Amino acid sequence: MFISILANMSILLVSLYGYLSYYVNYNKFHSFLKDQGTFFNSIFVTIVGIFLLYFAIEIGGARYDLRFLLLAFTVKYFGNKVTITSTLLLMVIRLFWGIDNHTPIAICYSVLLVFTLPMLKYIVSKINSDIIQLLILNYYCLLIGNFLNAIIIKNPLRDINIYLHLYVISTILVFVLYYMINDIKKMQKKATHDYLTKMKNRSEFQAKLEVLQKKKKIFSLAILDIDYFKVFNDSFNHLVGDLVLLEVSKVLLSFEGNKINCYRIGGEEFSLVFEEINFVEVENKLEKIRLAVQKINIDEMLLDGEVRGITVSIGISHIKIFSNIENYISSADDALYKAKENGRNQLVVGK
């Protein structure tokens, strides 16, 4: 019994670590997976479920394993579509282990979870604590199996002993897996985000352009530079320079959304990528950004000294013809240089 439980625990830990490590180290491929997430994540969950089923504890023909915990994490992090798909696939695969008096439990269990787990997820999503959400989802999935076994098999004394172990072990694993997920997410964020502004970094910027190029999507690329930034550092100090960067990044991030991504690509240089947005609308948004930056009053944040107003120059290129990624950046850069040459604090559209 304990060997089977240890095997199940190891499968969950190794699978989660492998998935998240792959996500952290191979962002480009994972960007591809995100577009087809339901299919690939369903396959991943199903394969892990098969291993759990293979190393299940078998007592009196009934199989006890940690699939319920797998499904709790699946509905929390992968969503309803992946949960429903993988639950139904695991139900079908379970039938290959033989048809007996335990088969109705497997079918009823899967069907109940398919219909009720998404609703429970919606209810618990209103709870602020992720760990509490996971515990509720875990206990619910386990309780359904416990309830069906008690009704159909009618061997409560045997089930009490097994399920007590499962409740304790799954509770421990919820905490272990949750903190593992959070730690790896933090590692991933450090690798892909700028430490000061918390914006996505240049490597994420390059990866985004590669994805858009591969999909041949029309997009707009803007490069934004803080005017006279060297003056802030030379006339005052680097702390004031950092404050300027933070305030400008706040303005940019306030415009970020599903189709607008912001990046810090160098010292005082930022980039914005607009996906499938009307070119005129893009230019209007950039003009709003320029005016919003101009309104930043950094004097109010300092105890003494007058700091010149903050302005930005922006170069933009609308990508219609697909070529080398460096050509996209070069086109926006050329427009930025023209904005600088023309007196700064303006937007120039590249050819």
Short mmCIF file of all heavy atoms in Angstrom, two decimals, residues 166-204:
data_model
loop_
_atom_site.label_atom_id
_atom_site.label_comp_id
_atom_site.label_asym_id
_atom_site.label_seq_id
_atom_site.Cartn_x
_atom_site.Cartn_y
_atom_site.Cartn_z
N LEU A 166 -5.51 8.73 2.49
CA LEU A 166 -5.57 9.58 1.31
C LEU A 166 -5.86 11.04 1.66
O LEU A 166 -5.31 11.95 1.04
CB LEU A 166 -6.63 9.06 0.33
CG LEU A 166 -6.34 7.71 -0.33
CD1 LEU A 166 -7.48 7.30 -1.24
CD2 LEU A 166 -5.03 7.76 -1.12
N TYR A 167 -6.71 11.26 2.66
CA TYR A 167 -7.00 12.63 3.08
C TYR A 167 -5.75 13.30 3.64
O TYR A 167 -5.44 14.46 3.31
CB TYR A 167 -8.11 12.65 4.14
CG TYR A 167 -9.50 12.63 3.57
CD1 TYR A 167 -10.29 11.48 3.64
CD2 TYR A 167 -10.04 13.75 2.96
CE1 TYR A 167 -11.57 11.45 3.11
CE2 TYR A 167 -11.33 13.73 2.42
CZ TYR A 167 -12.08 12.57 2.49
OH TYR A 167 -13.35 12.55 1.96
N VAL A 168 -5.01 12.57 4.48
CA VAL A 168 -3.80 13.13 5.09
C VAL A 168 -2.73 13.39 4.03
O VAL A 168 -2.13 14.46 3.96
CB VAL A 168 -3.26 12.19 6.19
CG1 VAL A 168 -1.90 12.67 6.69
CG2 VAL A 168 -4.24 12.09 7.34
N ILE A 169 -2.48 12.39 3.19
CA ILE A 169 -1.42 12.49 2.17
C ILE A 169 -1.75 13.59 1.16
O ILE A 169 -0.88 14.39 0.79
CB ILE A 169 -1.25 11.13 1.45
CG1 ILE A 169 -0.61 10.13 2.41
CG2 ILE A 169 -0.39 11.28 0.20
CD1 ILE A 169 -0.71 8.70 1.96
N SER A 170 -3.00 13.65 0.73
CA SER A 170 -3.36 14.67 -0.27
C SER A 170 -3.27 16.08 0.30
O SER A 170 -2.91 17.02 -0.41
CB SER A 170 -4.77 14.40 -0.82
OG SER A 170 -5.75 14.55 0.18
N THR A 171 -3.58 16.23 1.60
CA THR A 171 -3.47 17.54 2.24
C THR A 171 -2.02 18.01 2.22
O THR A 171 -1.72 19.16 1.89
CB THR A 171 -3.99 17.49 3.69
OG1 THR A 171 -5.36 17.10 3.68
CG2 THR A 171 -3.86 18.86 4.35
N ILE A 172 -1.12 17.11 2.58
CA ILE A 172 0.31 17.44 2.57
C ILE A 172 0.76 17.79 1.16
O ILE A 172 1.46 18.77 0.92
CB ILE A 172 1.14 16.25 3.12
CG1 ILE A 172 0.82 16.02 4.60
CG2 ILE A 172 2.64 16.50 2.93
CD1 ILE A 172 1.38 14.75 5.17
N LEU A 173 0.31 16.98 0.19
CA LEU A 173 0.72 17.21 -1.20
C LEU A 173 0.17 18.51 -1.77
O LEU A 173 0.82 19.14 -2.61
CB LEU A 173 0.28 16.03 -2.07
CG LEU A 173 1.21 14.82 -2.07
CD1 LEU A 173 0.62 13.69 -2.89
CD2 LEU A 173 2.59 15.18 -2.59
N VAL A 174 -1.02 18.92 -1.35
CA VAL A 174 -1.57 20.19 -1.81
C VAL A 174 -0.60 21.32 -1.47
O VAL A 174 -0.28 22.17 -2.31
CB VAL A 174 -2.95 20.46 -1.19
CG1 VAL A 174 -3.33 21.94 -1.35
CG2 VAL A 174 -4.01 19.60 -1.85
N PHE A 175 -0.10 21.32 -0.23
CA PHE A 175 0.84 22.37 0.19
C PHE A 175 2.17 22.26 -0.56
O PHE A 175 2.71 23.26 -1.03
CB PHE A 175 1.08 22.28 1.70
CG PHE A 175 -0.05 22.85 2.53
CD1 PHE A 175 -1.08 22.04 2.98
CD2 PHE A 175 -0.10 24.20 2.84
CE1 PHE A 175 -2.12 22.55 3.72
CE2 PHE A 175 -1.14 24.73 3.59
CZ PHE A 175 -2.16 23.90 4.03
N VAL A 176 2.68 21.03 -0.68
CA VAL A 176 3.97 20.83 -1.36
C VAL A 176 3.90 21.27 -2.82
O VAL A 176 4.75 22.02 -3.31
CB VAL A 176 4.40 19.35 -1.28
CG1 VAL A 176 5.63 19.09 -2.15
CG2 VAL A 176 4.70 18.96 0.16
N LEU A 177 2.86 20.80 -3.53
CA LEU A 177 2.72 21.12 -4.95
C LEU A 177 2.44 22.61 -5.17
O LEU A 177 2.95 23.22 -6.11
CB LEU A 177 1.60 20.28 -5.57
CG LEU A 177 1.84 18.76 -5.60
CD1 LEU A 177 0.59 18.04 -6.10
CD2 LEU A 177 3.02 18.41 -6.48
N TYR A 178 1.63 23.18 -4.30
CA TYR A 178 1.30 24.60 -4.42
C TYR A 178 2.56 25.46 -4.29
O TYR A 178 2.79 26.37 -5.11
CB TYR A 178 0.28 25.00 -3.35
CG TYR A 178 0.06 26.50 -3.26
CD1 TYR A 178 -0.69 27.17 -4.22
CD2 TYR A 178 0.61 27.24 -2.21
CE1 TYR A 178 -0.89 28.54 -4.15
CE2 TYR A 178 0.40 28.62 -2.13
CZ TYR A 178 -0.33 29.25 -3.09
OH TYR A 178 -0.53 30.61 -3.03
N TYR A 179 3.38 25.19 -3.27
CA TYR A 179 4.59 25.99 -3.07
C TYR A 179 5.63 25.71 -4.15
O TYR A 179 6.41 26.60 -4.51
CB TYR A 179 5.16 25.77 -1.66
CG TYR A 179 4.33 26.45 -0.60
CD1 TYR A 179 3.56 25.73 0.31
CD2 TYR A 179 4.26 27.85 -0.56
CE1 TYR A 179 2.77 26.38 1.25
CE2 TYR A 179 3.48 28.50 0.38
CZ TYR A 179 2.73 27.76 1.28
OH TYR A 179 1.95 28.40 2.20
N MET A 180 5.63 24.52 -4.70
CA MET A 180 6.51 24.21 -5.82
C MET A 180 6.11 25.05 -7.04
O MET A 180 6.97 25.63 -7.72
CB MET A 180 6.44 22.72 -6.17
CG MET A 180 7.39 22.32 -7.29
SD MET A 180 7.18 20.61 -7.81
CE MET A 180 7.80 19.75 -6.39
N ILE A 181 4.82 25.11 -7.31
CA ILE A 181 4.32 25.91 -8.43
C ILE A 181 4.71 27.38 -8.25
O ILE A 181 5.20 28.03 -9.17
CB ILE A 181 2.79 25.78 -8.56
CG1 ILE A 181 2.41 24.39 -9.06
CG2 ILE A 181 2.22 26.85 -9.50
CD1 ILE A 181 0.94 24.08 -8.99
N ASN A 182 4.50 27.91 -7.05
CA ASN A 182 4.80 29.32 -6.79
C ASN A 182 6.29 29.62 -6.92
O ASN A 182 6.67 30.65 -7.47
CB ASN A 182 4.33 29.71 -5.39
CG ASN A 182 2.87 30.12 -5.39
OD1 ASN A 182 2.18 29.92 -6.38
ND2 ASN A 182 2.39 30.68 -4.30
N ASP A 183 7.14 28.71 -6.41
CA ASP A 183 8.58 28.93 -6.49
C ASP A 183 9.06 28.95 -7.93
O ASP A 183 9.87 29.79 -8.33
CB ASP A 183 9.34 27.84 -5.71
CG ASP A 183 9.27 28.06 -4.21
OD1 ASP A 183 8.90 29.18 -3.80
OD2 ASP A 183 9.58 27.13 -3.45
N ILE A 184 8.58 28.00 -8.74
CA ILE A 184 9.01 27.95 -10.13
C ILE A 184 8.46 29.13 -10.92
O ILE A 184 9.12 29.67 -11.80
CB ILE A 184 8.61 26.60 -10.77
CG1 ILE A 184 9.40 25.47 -10.11
CG2 ILE A 184 8.87 26.60 -12.28
CD1 ILE A 184 9.13 24.10 -10.64
N LYS A 185 7.26 29.58 -10.56
CA LYS A 185 6.71 30.78 -11.21
C LYS A 185 7.56 32.00 -10.91
O LYS A 185 7.79 32.85 -11.78
CB LYS A 185 5.27 31.02 -10.74
CG LYS A 185 4.22 30.22 -11.50
CD LYS A 185 2.83 30.63 -11.06
CE LYS A 185 1.76 29.98 -11.92
NZ LYS A 185 0.40 30.38 -11.48
N LYS A 186 8.04 32.09 -9.67
CA LYS A 186 8.91 33.21 -9.30
C LYS A 186 10.22 33.17 -10.08
O LYS A 186 10.72 34.19 -10.54
CB LYS A 186 9.19 33.18 -7.79
CG LYS A 186 8.01 33.61 -6.94
CD LYS A 186 8.33 33.47 -5.46
CE LYS A 186 7.09 33.78 -4.61
NZ LYS A 186 7.36 33.53 -3.16
N MET A 187 10.77 31.97 -10.22
CA MET A 187 12.00 31.80 -11.00
C MET A 187 11.77 32.24 -12.45
O MET A 187 12.60 32.92 -13.05
CB MET A 187 12.45 30.34 -10.96
CG MET A 187 13.00 29.89 -9.63
SD MET A 187 13.14 28.09 -9.53
CE MET A 187 14.07 27.72 -11.01
N GLN A 188 10.62 31.82 -12.98
CA GLN A 188 10.30 32.15 -14.37
C GLN A 188 10.14 33.66 -14.54
O GLN A 188 10.59 34.25 -15.53
CB GLN A 188 9.03 31.41 -14.80
CG GLN A 188 8.75 31.47 -16.28
CD GLN A 188 7.77 32.58 -16.64
OE1 GLN A 188 7.11 33.13 -15.75
NE2 GLN A 188 7.67 32.89 -17.90
N LYS A 189 9.51 34.30 -13.55
CA LYS A 189 9.29 35.74 -13.65
C LYS A 189 10.61 36.50 -13.59
O LYS A 189 10.80 37.49 -14.29
CB LYS A 189 8.35 36.21 -12.53
CG LYS A 189 7.89 37.64 -12.71
CD LYS A 189 6.69 37.98 -11.87
CE LYS A 189 6.17 39.37 -12.22
NZ LYS A 189 4.99 39.73 -11.45
N LYS A 190 11.53 36.03 -12.75
CA LYS A 190 12.84 36.67 -12.66
C LYS A 190 13.59 36.57 -13.99
O LYS A 190 14.34 37.46 -14.36
CB LYS A 190 13.68 36.03 -11.55
CG LYS A 190 13.25 36.44 -10.15
CD LYS A 190 14.12 35.79 -9.10
CE LYS A 190 13.67 36.19 -7.70
NZ LYS A 190 14.48 35.53 -6.64
N ALA A 191 13.39 35.45 -14.69
CA ALA A 191 14.10 35.24 -15.95
C ALA A 191 13.49 36.02 -17.11
O ALA A 191 14.16 36.28 -18.10
CB ALA A 191 14.11 33.75 -16.29
N THR A 192 12.22 36.40 -16.98
CA THR A 192 11.52 37.02 -18.11
C THR A 192 11.08 38.46 -17.85
O THR A 192 10.54 39.09 -18.75
CB THR A 192 10.28 36.19 -18.49
OG1 THR A 192 9.40 36.11 -17.35
CG2 THR A 192 10.67 34.78 -18.93
N HIS A 193 11.29 38.95 -16.64
CA HIS A 193 10.83 40.31 -16.31
C HIS A 193 11.99 41.17 -15.79
O HIS A 193 12.90 40.67 -15.13
CB HIS A 193 9.71 40.25 -15.26
CG HIS A 193 8.41 39.78 -15.80
ND1 HIS A 193 8.21 38.50 -16.24
CD2 HIS A 193 7.23 40.43 -16.00
CE1 HIS A 193 6.97 38.36 -16.68
NE2 HIS A 193 6.36 39.52 -16.55
N ASP A 194 11.92 42.44 -16.08
CA ASP A 194 12.90 43.40 -15.61
C ASP A 194 12.77 43.58 -14.11
O ASP A 194 11.66 43.74 -13.58
CB ASP A 194 12.67 44.73 -16.33
CG ASP A 194 13.56 45.83 -15.80
OD1 ASP A 194 14.77 45.65 -15.77
OD2 ASP A 194 13.00 46.87 -15.39
N TYR A 195 13.90 43.57 -13.40
CA TYR A 195 13.86 43.59 -11.93
C TYR A 195 13.33 44.89 -11.37
O TYR A 195 12.69 44.92 -10.31
CB TYR A 195 15.26 43.32 -11.36
CG TYR A 195 16.19 44.52 -11.45
CD1 TYR A 195 16.40 45.35 -10.36
CD2 TYR A 195 16.83 44.83 -12.65
CE1 TYR A 195 17.23 46.45 -10.44
CE2 TYR A 195 17.66 45.93 -12.75
CZ TYR A 195 17.86 46.73 -11.64
OH TYR A 195 18.68 47.82 -11.73
N LEU A 196 13.56 46.03 -12.08
CA LEU A 196 13.15 47.33 -11.55
C LEU A 196 11.70 47.65 -11.86
O LEU A 196 10.91 47.95 -10.96
CB LEU A 196 14.07 48.43 -12.12
CG LEU A 196 13.69 49.87 -11.73
CD1 LEU A 196 13.86 50.08 -10.23
CD2 LEU A 196 14.57 50.87 -12.50
N THR A 197 11.34 47.59 -13.12
CA THR A 197 10.01 48.02 -13.55
C THR A 197 8.97 46.90 -13.52
O THR A 197 7.78 47.16 -13.64
CB THR A 197 10.06 48.57 -14.98
OG1 THR A 197 10.49 47.52 -15.87
CG2 THR A 197 11.04 49.74 -15.08
N LYS A 198 9.45 45.65 -13.39
CA LYS A 198 8.59 44.45 -13.41
C LYS A 198 7.93 44.24 -14.78
O LYS A 198 6.99 43.44 -14.92
CB LYS A 198 7.48 44.52 -12.33
CG LYS A 198 7.98 44.86 -10.93
CD LYS A 198 9.07 43.93 -10.47
CE LYS A 198 9.59 44.34 -9.09
NZ LYS A 198 10.80 43.58 -8.70
N MET A 199 8.42 44.92 -15.78
CA MET A 199 7.92 44.72 -17.14
C MET A 199 8.64 43.53 -17.78
O MET A 199 9.72 43.14 -17.35
CB MET A 199 8.17 45.97 -18.00
CG MET A 199 7.47 47.21 -17.50
SD MET A 199 7.88 48.67 -18.49
CE MET A 199 6.87 48.38 -19.93
N LYS A 200 8.04 42.97 -18.80
CA LYS A 200 8.69 41.89 -19.53
C LYS A 200 9.98 42.41 -20.15
O LYS A 200 10.05 43.57 -20.56
CB LYS A 200 7.74 41.34 -20.61
CG LYS A 200 6.53 40.62 -20.01
CD LYS A 200 5.67 39.98 -21.09
CE LYS A 200 4.78 41.00 -21.79
NZ LYS A 200 3.71 41.51 -20.93
N ASN A 201 11.01 41.54 -20.23
CA ASN A 201 12.32 41.99 -20.68
C ASN A 201 12.55 41.75 -22.17
O ASN A 201 11.66 41.33 -22.89
CB ASN A 201 13.43 41.35 -19.83
CG ASN A 201 13.43 39.83 -19.96
OD1 ASN A 201 12.89 39.26 -20.91
ND2 ASN A 201 14.03 39.17 -18.99
N ARG A 202 13.80 42.00 -22.61
CA ARG A 202 14.11 41.93 -24.03
C ARG A 202 13.96 40.52 -24.60
O ARG A 202 13.55 40.34 -25.75
CB ARG A 202 15.52 42.46 -24.30
CG ARG A 202 15.77 42.65 -25.79
CD ARG A 202 17.14 43.22 -26.09
NE ARG A 202 17.24 43.50 -27.52
CZ ARG A 202 16.99 44.66 -28.09
NH1 ARG A 202 16.61 45.68 -27.33
NH2 ARG A 202 17.09 44.82 -29.39
N SER A 203 14.29 39.51 -23.81
CA SER A 203 14.16 38.13 -24.30
C SER A 203 12.70 37.79 -24.58
O SER A 203 12.38 37.12 -25.56
CB SER A 203 14.76 37.14 -23.30
OG SER A 203 14.02 37.11 -22.10
N GLU A 204 11.79 38.29 -23.75
CA GLU A 204 10.36 38.11 -23.97
C GLU A 204 9.90 38.89 -25.21
O GLU A 204 9.05 38.43 -25.97
CB GLU A 204 9.57 38.57 -22.75
CG GLU A 204 9.62 37.62 -21.57
CD GLU A 204 8.87 36.34 -21.84
OE1 GLU A 204 7.62 36.34 -21.81
OE2 GLU A 204 9.53 35.32 -22.12
#
